Amino acid sequence: MPTTSAVTQIDPRSPRFGAVITSVLLALIILLGPTSIPALVLLIIQTLAFAAGSLLGLGAQPWGIIYRRFVRPRLAPPTELEDAAPPRFAQTVGLVFALAGLLGWIVALPVLFYIAIAFALIAALLNAVFDFCLGCELYLLGKRILGPSTAS
């Protein structure tokens, strides 16, 4: 069993690929609106994708699986790998917003639905278009503020 100090490394192109799929789904969800059953179905799919990446790890995230299985074999190997912890944290942030959007749909509170999904969409678009992972940056900021871990 790996130690807690082991760092999982990932292809940095994978989260960006996932952000493209996430952006498309979230844009469709917003366009379909908070009273649409298809929007609810898409939102549940994206929420489950965020949950898999957050709770089970990036290896279980469906968009990452698609990337590893169908896209990465057609590309040159990555020039470098990155720590999986910041993108996994970003999946957790996405999960929180997706759950808030689901709550907005369920309790018929369109403002909550639109705001939550819009925040998730903006973050996904930043990653997809500009390769800027907002959740990753929040993770790194938190690490700087909290300082090094005292647990060994």
Side-chain angles (χ1 to χ4, degrees), residues 19-65:
V20 171
I21 295 173
T22 298
S23 295
V24 170
L25 290 176
L26 294 172
L28 286 171
I29 291 164
I30 286 177
L31 290 173
L32 292 169
T35 59
S36 164
I37 297 298
L40 176 62
V41 171
L42 291 175
L43 183 51
I44 289 170
I45 290 168
Q46 184 56 53
T47 302
L48 291 173
F50 281 140
S54 171
L55 303 173
L56 302 175
L58 297 177
Q61 211 282 353
W63 317 147
I65 292 170

Side-chain angles (χ1 to χ4, degrees), residues 93-127:
V93 173
L95 176 59
V96 169
F97 281 107
L99 288 171
L102 272 174
L103 180 63
W105 196 98
I106 291 167
V107 300
L109 194 57
V111 170
L112 176 59
F113 172 87
Y114 282 118
I115 289 173
I117 302 306
F119 274 114
L121 176 59
I122 290 166
L125 282 171
L126 283 171
N127 196 353

Side-chain angles (χ1 to χ4, degrees), residues 8-16 67-68 71-83 131:
T8 303
Q9 298 286 300
I10 61 166
D11 181 338
R13 300 170 294 187
S14 181
R16 190 170 191 189
Y67 174 81
R68 287 189 309 279
V71 178
R72 185 172 179 181
R74 291 167 174 74
L75 302 174
T79 56
E80 60 185 30
L81 299 175
E82 71 179 18
D83 181 5
D131 197 19

